[in-house]
């Protein structure tokens, strides 16, 4: 199987990110079974009552739950905050790890047990923004906007 040299891909990825802001990743090697399980667990979490989700509120390391309208990524164009809820995780690292002071590094927050975007009304799922100096990977399901 032929691999595209990284040296050729990185400048192209940079250009695509700067020009359009996103790109698709295909043939990534993640199994369909694993993706199905991730979507199943995500649905399980987001179906919880808000009171339960709020127990896992996002911490200073951007790990945990962010409720609807809590983030306001594009205050110039948005009337309210982003109409999305988020559950953020990253590489698991113990609290006593020597790198724990680095941004976005540390332990994850784990669960122990109708409105759509409308730009004419200033409602956005996520307003125009740049991510926090990293790449965000998004997997989509069959739910349309």
């Amino acid at each position: 199987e032929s691999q595209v040299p990284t040296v050729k891909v990185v400048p192209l990825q940079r250009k695509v990110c700067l020009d359009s802001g996103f790109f698709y990743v295909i043939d990534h090697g993640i199994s369909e079974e694993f993706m199905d399980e991730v979507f199943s667990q995500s649905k399980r979490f987001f179906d919880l009552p808000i009171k339960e989700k709020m127990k896992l509120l996002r911490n200073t390391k951007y790990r945990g739950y962010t409720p609807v309208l809590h983030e306001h990524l594009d205050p110039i164009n948005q009337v309210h905050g982003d109409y999305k809820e988020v559950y953020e995780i990253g590489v698991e690292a113990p609290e006593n790890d020597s790198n724990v002071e680095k941004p976005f590094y540390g332990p994850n927050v784990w669960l122990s047990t109708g409105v759509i975007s409308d730009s004419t009304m200033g409602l956005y799922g996520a307003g125009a923004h740049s991510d926090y100096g990293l790449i965000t990977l998004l997997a989509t399901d069959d739910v349309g906007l």
Side-chain angles (χ1 to χ4, degrees):
E1 198 174 306
S2 175
Q3 296 275 332
V4 177
T6 302
V7 73
K8 291 181 181 179
V9 173
V10 172
L12 180 58
Q13 285 176 327
R14 181 180 189 280
K15 179 172 176 29
V16 169
C17 287
L18 290 171
D19 292 350
S20 68
F22 68 95
F23 57 89
Y24 286 97
V25 178
I26 59 171
D27 298 328
H28 44 68
I30 300 172
S31 74
E32 193 68 35
E33 294 80 19
F34 182 76
M35 293 296 293
D36 290 344
E37 181 64 18
V38 169
F39 277 110
S40 173
Q41 293 299 324
S42 294
K43 180 172 179 10
R44 180 176 156 248
F45 175 78
F46 287 107
D47 283 347
L48 290 171
I50 187 70
K51 182 179 177 181
E52 292 301 309
K53 292 185 278 193
M54 291 300 285
K55 292 177 183 176
L56 303 168
L57 201 57
R58 184 176 73 180
N59 62 27
T60 59
K61 296 290 187 169
Y62 292 90
R63 305 292 176 90
Y65 176 66
T66 303
V68 173
L69 303 177
H70 191 263
E71 239 179 351
H72 203 169
L73 296 174
D74 186 12
I76 293 171
N77 295 304
Q78 288 179 265
V79 175
H80 306 288
D82 297 331
Y83 205 88
K84 65 175 172 59
E85 48 181 353
V86 177
Y87 189 76
E88 296 173 283
I89 59 172
V91 174
E92 185 69 39
E95 192 66 49
N96 63 353
D97 189 291
S98 61
N99 293 308
V100 78
E101 294 304 315
K102 291 180 179 179
F104 309 108
Y105 194 92
N108 287 304
V109 178
W110 296 109
L111 180 65
S112 60
T113 48
V115 175
I116 62 171
S117 296
D118 183 344
S119 61
T120 64
M121 297 178 61
L123 294 172
Y124 297 84
H129 68 283
S130 293
D131 277 344
Y132 313 101
L134 48 103
I135 293 177
T136 300
L137 299 176
L138 301 173
T140 58
D141 58 16
D142 59 356
V143 176
L145 293 179

